C-alpha cells in the first residue's frame, strides 16, 4: 500500500493515490486537476483515510475513474460533519473536471464565506476522536473553534 503514495514513472504522470481521472484518460488537464488531488489530501487529513477503497496500488487508477468515494460521515461517523463541508469536499473530488471548483480561490471563498461559521455551529461539541488520525481531526476542530 505504501507504493500507492509514490510517484511512478509510467505514461500517466502522478501518484496513483492522488491522480485525477482526466490524467488517466489523457484528457484536458488544468487547475481543477490539482483540486482533485487537493481534495483527496483534505479528505485524508480530516479522516485519516483515503476516500477510495483499494486493495493494491494498481487499483487506484480504476477507482479514480469509476469508484464511488466515501463521504466524511462514512469515513468517520463519530463526527457531526457539516453538510456544506461534505458538499465542498465531494465537489473537489468529483470525477468530472467541470463539476469541480474552478480554482483554489473559489475553495477559499467558500471556506471563508460562511462554511466556517456553519461548521462551528454543527461541531460545537464533537466527540473525542479515536487515534491515530484523531490528532488531525482535533487540530481541525481547534481551528474552527478558536480561529477568529
Amino acid at each position: 500500500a505504501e507504493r500507492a503514495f509514490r510517484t511512478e514513472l509510467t505514461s500517466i504522470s502522478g501518484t496513483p493515490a492522488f491522480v485525477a481521472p482526466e490524467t488517466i484518460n489523457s484528457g484536458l488537464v488544468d487547475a481543477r486537476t490539482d483540486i482533485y488531488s487537493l481534495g483527496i489530501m483534505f479528505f485524508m487529513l480530516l479522516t485519516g483515510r483515503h476516500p477510495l477503497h483499494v486493495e493494491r496500488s494498481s487499483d487506484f487508477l480504476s477507482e479514480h475513474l469509476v469508484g464511488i468515494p466515501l463521504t466524511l460521515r462514512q469515513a468517520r461517523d463519530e463526527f457531526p460533519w457539516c453538510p456544506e463541508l461534505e458538499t465542498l469536499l465531494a465537489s473537489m473530488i468529483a470525477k468530472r473536471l467541470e463539476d469541480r471548483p474552478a480554482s483554489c480561490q473559489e475553495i477559499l471563498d467558500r471556506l471563508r464565506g460562511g462554511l466556517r461559521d456553519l461548521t462551528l455551529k454543527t461541531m460545537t461539541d464533537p466527540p473525542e476522536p479515536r487515534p491515530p488520525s484523531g490528532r488531525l481531526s482535533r487540530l481541525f476542530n481547534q481551528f474552527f473553534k478558536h480561529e477568529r
Side-chain angles (χ1 to χ4, degrees):
E2 186 176 315
R3 204 178 94 155
F5 296 95
R6 293 187 189 148
T7 300
E8 294 181 5
L9 297 174
T10 63
S11 60
I12 298 168
S13 177
T15 306
F18 301 97
V19 69
E22 60 274 11
T23 306
I24 299 165
N25 287 333
S26 300
L28 172 69
V29 174
D30 65 17
R32 295 169 293 179
T33 301
D34 292 333
I35 287 172
Y36 181 88
S37 301
L38 182 63
I40 299 279
M41 286 186 251
F42 278 1
F43 190 95
M44 292 179 70
L45 284 170
L46 292 171
T47 67
R49 296 181 60 181
H50 195 285
L52 299 172
H53 177 73
V54 299
E55 298 291 325
R56 301 177 310 267
S57 64
S58 60
D59 295 340
F60 271 115
L61 300 183
S62 63
E63 284 297 306
H64 284 300
L65 293 173
V66 297
I68 299 171
L70 295 171
T71 64
L72 291 171
R73 189 167 313 253
Q74 288 169 328
R76 297 290 302 266
D77 66 351
E78 72 271 23
F79 286 103
W81 297 104
C82 170
E84 290 78 8
L85 182 60
E86 287 267 21
T87 301
L88 175 61
L89 229 40
S91 72
M92 291 175 72
I93 59 175
K95 301 292 182 202
R96 294 173 4 119
L97 186 76
E98 54 273 7
D99 293 337
R100 293 183 212 135
S103 67
C104 286
Q105 186 61 55
E106 182 180 331
I107 295 166
L108 285 172
D109 291 345
R110 287 173 70 180
L111 288 170
R112 289 180 182 144
L115 178 56
R116 181 181 177 275
D117 295 333
L118 287 168
T119 304
L120 270 173
K121 186 184 280 186
T122 305
M123 300 183 82
T124 54
D125 192 23
E128 187 65 28
R130 58 184 172 203
S133 59
R135 290 184 195 121
L136 292 174
S137 297
R138 200 172 307 117
L139 286 173
F140 174 78
N141 287 327
Q142 287 172 350
F143 169 80
F144 280 107
K145 282 185 179 181
H146 302 293
E147 190 74 21
R148 287 273 177 202

